[in-house]
Amino acid sequence: MPDLRGSGRFVTANVIDSFGNGMMMSFVVVFFARTTRVPLIEVGAALTLGQLFAVPAPALIGALVDRYGPRRVVVTGNLVSAAGFGAYLLAESTWQIVLAALVVQLGANAYWTSSSALVVLAAKEGERPRWFAFLRALRNIGSGAGGAGAALAVSIASSAGLRAVVTVNAVTFLLAAWLIGTWRPRKDPTDGAAGSRATRPESPTGYLGVLRDRAYLRLVAVNLVFVLAAMAPTVLLAVYLTENLRAGAWLVGVLVVINTALVASLQTISARWTGHRRAGRLLVLGTLLNALAFLVFASLIGLPGWAVTAGAVLAMVVFTAAEILRTAPVSELSVAMASERALGRYLAVFQLSWTIGGAVAPLLFTSLLSHGPTWPWIFLAVISVLAVPAMSGFDRNTR
């Protein structure tokens, strides 16, 4: 565990924020399908369009982080998210859903672009990897609790329950904004790149300086591979198991629970083992474990039911081990390899890997599935192996 003294409000804000996100994670499409007269296909298109309109936002947000500090940007982002979920309650037509989704995504981009910089403000020297691991575990617990609460509310009250879920979610963002706004971190909160500037080399400020940093761009490319891997359980797993392997839907739920429980319980424990090891080597190990998990998933075609269940559980355990190993190191490197004078801009470019990967994954995976059920898994295994050489020298390029 990292030293949490003085960071209670920061920690509480993460719990509340993840609880709210967990509530909406599985019910956004259902909410608009049940509370409006917009056809289901238009709901999906409107939500996608709203997110695509927000793709350029991290570039502006990164500059704001460098100018005003991450704390102010996160507070503003949470207020914007609260307004967006308030707009959900008023949306009745397709264009209104697009607008509400855009506002929510702008708030989310503000948070995720700034979140690593908040850890810089909270962490004592040498404790950033522990903080990243701790927050990852904490957010998993909060998301799981929020999802369970939302499922209960919807099962009891259907449309009224869905409206209650959205309302509570908006309130959680207001609470998180207040907590971050009143938090006084260890370091100067107006310093978006806290650290010892006198002893560290600096690169040119502005996005041109980031784009000239080849080592950091390699890190962004490697993280894009991780993002595509992380999207597999969300986008690919359910359709592969139920449609191609004819497994019961219950197996999908079991695998998700295994992943969530292992990350929540082992992420902080693993930080003690990984804390004194090189981040680049941990990324290599996590990437190779990812490739192994994807090959196991691909090998389940044609197996009897009991073997499919056992193989899927094994693959998910290996996949989760890879997730636990890579999460804290890649987050640490996204900060450690950045120029301190332009930390916000560096993190904005890093966030693009999440934005692009999240947008590309559904189309990419469904297209590969149309050519055969094993092709998405083979593709993920191949790009994981190909990403390994790109990780060389990461530890030498930390600032």
Side-chain angles (χ1 to χ4, degrees):
M1 293 284 285
D3 185 354
L4 303 181
R5 287 176 295 179
S7 300
R9 296 192 180 196
F10 175 49
V11 172
T12 305
N14 273 275
V15 174
I16 291 174
D17 179 77
S18 59
F19 180 85
N21 284 327
M23 293 184 74
M24 287 303 300
M25 188 179 299
S26 302
F27 294 101
V28 175
V29 175
V30 176
F31 172 79
F32 288 115
R34 292 190 182 181
T35 61
T36 71
R37 296 182 178 179
V38 179
L40 185 62
I41 190 171
E42 289 188 24
V43 169
L47 292 172
T48 297
L49 195 59
Q51 293 188 43
L52 289 176
F53 283 151
V55 167
L60 173 61
I61 293 167
L64 294 175
V65 170
D66 288 331
R67 182 166 185 176
Y68 298 106
R71 199 166 59 90
R72 293 178 181 177
V73 174
V74 167
V75 169
T76 303
N78 281 338
L79 294 176
V80 170
S81 292
F85 283 110
Y88 272 28
L89 297 170
L90 303 176
E92 296 180 350
S93 62
T94 302
W95 74 266
Q96 290 172 332
I97 296 174
V98 172
L99 181 60
L102 170 61
V103 175
V104 167
Q105 192 60 38
L106 289 174
N109 283 342
Y111 174 81
W112 288 112
T113 303
S114 312
S115 59
S116 293
L118 287 181
V119 173
V120 173
L121 299 182
K124 293 173 64 176
E125 187 68 27
E127 281 201 339
R128 281 202 308 247
R130 289 188 182 187
W131 267 102
F132 285 124
F134 171 69
L135 291 177
R136 172 70 174 177
L138 201 66
R139 294 190 69 87
N140 259 43
I141 295 171
S143 295
L152 179 62
V154 173
S155 66
I156 293 175
S158 191
S159 294
L162 285 165
R163 291 186 179 277
V165 165
V166 173
T167 302
V168 170
N169 194 27
V171 172
T172 64
F173 280 104
L174 294 176
L175 287 175
W178 177 79
L179 287 166
I180 294 295
T182 56
W183 168 50
R184 295 295 177 262
R186 300 176 186 275
K187 302 181 179 71
D188 182 3
T190 63
D191 181 3
S196 176
R197 298 169 189 266
T199 59
R200 296 187 181 185
E202 295 293 350
S203 50
T205 56
Y207 283 106
L208 184 59
V210 183
L211 296 178
R212 288 174 177 170
D213 193 333
R214 294 183 179 179
Y216 199 85
L217 293 183
R218 279 195 291 117
L219 177 66
V220 174
V222 166
N223 194 60
L224 178 59
V225 174
F226 292 157
V227 172
L228 292 175
M231 296 298 294
T234 304
V235 177
L236 181 60
L237 188 60
V239 65
Y240 177 67
L241 290 177
T242 58
E243 298 296 324
N244 299 118
L245 300 184
R246 304 300 179 185
W250 62 268
L251 181 57
V252 180
V254 168
L255 297 180
V256 171
V257 169
I258 289 173
N259 175 261
T260 302
L262 288 177
V263 171
S265 59
L266 298 180
Q267 186 75 73
T268 54
I269 296 173
S270 73
R272 189 192 327 189
W273 179 77
T274 60
H276 302 294
R277 288 166 172 80
R278 293 185 177 182
R281 292 181 180 179
L282 293 173
L283 293 187
V284 170
L285 178 57
T287 305
L288 293 177
L289 286 176
N290 258 346
L292 176 60
F294 297 140
L295 291 176
V296 173
F297 274 123
S299 68
L300 301 181
I301 289 290
L303 297 181
W306 66 267
V308 167
T309 300
V313 169
L314 173 63
M316 181 55 75
V317 170
V318 175
F319 174 85
T320 305
E323 180 182 351
I324 291 171
L325 283 174
R326 74 172 186 262
T327 296
V330 76
S331 299
E332 166 65 12
L333 287 172
S334 72
V335 174
M337 291 176 62
S339 165
E340 293 186 346
R341 288 188 299 170
L343 180 59
R345 290 173 173 85
Y346 270 83
L347 293 178
V349 173
F350 186 78
Q351 179 63 24
L352 278 177
S353 60
W354 283 98
T355 305
I356 295 171
V360 167
L363 177 61
L364 175 64
F365 291 161
T366 52
S367 298
L368 289 170
L369 271 176
S370 68
H371 291 87
T374 61
W375 278 111
W377 304 111
I378 294 173
F379 169 79
L380 287 169
V382 169
I383 63 171
S384 295
V385 173
L386 292 178
V388 170
M391 300 173 194
S392 64
F394 277 169
D395 297 306
R396 295 194 300 273
N397 286 284
T398 54
R399 300 179 192 274

